[in-house]
Amino acid sequence: MKLKVYRYNKKLDSPHYNTFEFMSKPGMTILEALFQIQKQFDDSLAFHYSCRGAVCGTCAMLINKVPRLACRTQVIPLIKGELKMNLISYHAIEETKVPWDPEEEILIEPLPHLPVIKDLIVDMSTFFKYYKFIEPVFKPARPSPEKERIMEPNALTELELYTNCILCAACFGACPVDGKNPEYLGPAALAKLYRFHIDPRESNGIERLGLANIPNGWWACEFYGNCTRVCPKGVPPTIGIAKARKELEDKGKFQEG
């Protein structure tokens, strides 16, 4: 098995790719393969990881031109072509600077649309700046109940779709709009904002939606759907964005452009 890995260290060299060849085993993930490269071939290879269980979202990267979690992407199904995903094409996944044979090699690159710090590590500052912009904190309605805030089961069902987000930024890296408009808040931030808006325990109602009622917020989405396809937790940002836009339009708060 061959892994073709993007390498970059601004202090030492320009971007290039290294190819590593070794034996895979059943169940091996891309994250495990990267550990093996560190151990056997090059201990300077840099990448982020934490939980190793698809919970923290730390190890998102571009794997065979699809943003994925390295810890849950298995090597053998990938090389067999069993994990193919049809995304709307855009520059970051069209561009391949080196020859690459997807039937023989697995291509590992950093997540698109974010500055590369070293190898597969990207600077997530912009992603989290947009996340903080939507004020991702619970603002409960008053007065406080004596025991707990009751939720109806049907409200919880929709809410859980959006609370599942692990902030891995795979959707950010898969979004063609983020690729051409660096000011766009992005799918993750907007999905999280919608999550707080629909929480029946919240107090702000339509005011929550107003935080992204700007040209680079709800109205910048072009509904490519890549974000939903790559989300490892099944969060559907485009559905929430569409519902938020309709609600703003219905209430006469349309602010496109």
Side-chain angles (χ1 to χ4, degrees), residues 1 7 19-25 28 32-45 47:
M1 181 196 70
R7 307 301 303 275
T19 299
F20 303 94
E21 186 170 359
F22 55 90
M23 294 295 294
S24 63
K25 60 182 180 180
M28 174 183 275
E32 290 179 275
L34 294 174
F35 281 128
Q36 189 165 328
I37 289 173
Q38 276 189 334
K39 184 177 180 179
Q40 294 185 355
F41 303 107
D42 189 345
D43 61 4
S44 71
L45 178 62
F47 53 92

Side-chain angles (χ1 to χ4, degrees), residues 132-154:
K132 293 176 182 177
F133 177 83
I134 58 96
E135 300 177 11
V137 292
F138 184 50
K139 300 177 182 180
R142 302 295 185 205
S144 298
E146 293 183 6
K147 294 184 178 180
E148 65 272 338
R149 299 180 188 275
I150 305 298
M151 293 180 63
E152 294 295 329
N154 59 344

Side-chain angles (χ1 to χ4, degrees), residues 202-223:
E202 272 274 320
S203 60
N204 286 353
I206 194 70
E207 294 178 14
R208 274 283 193 181
L209 297 185
L211 289 172
N213 191 20
I214 55 177
N216 290 317
W218 305 117
W219 311 105
C221 176
E222 297 179 16
F223 298 99

Side-chain angles (χ1 to χ4, degrees), residues 18 63 75 87 133 170-171 183 213 226 232:
N18 287 153
I63 302 173
V75 169
L87 299 181
F133 177 83
C171 61
E183 300 300 317
N213 191 20
N226 284 358

Side-chain angles (χ1 to χ4, degrees), residues 67-79:
R68 303 178 187 269
L69 296 183
C71 69
R72 70 176 296 178
T73 305
Q74 293 192 7
V75 169
I76 293 177
L78 190 66
I79 204 70

Side-chain angles (χ1 to χ4, degrees), residues 16 169 177 204:
H16 63 280
V177 180
N204 286 353

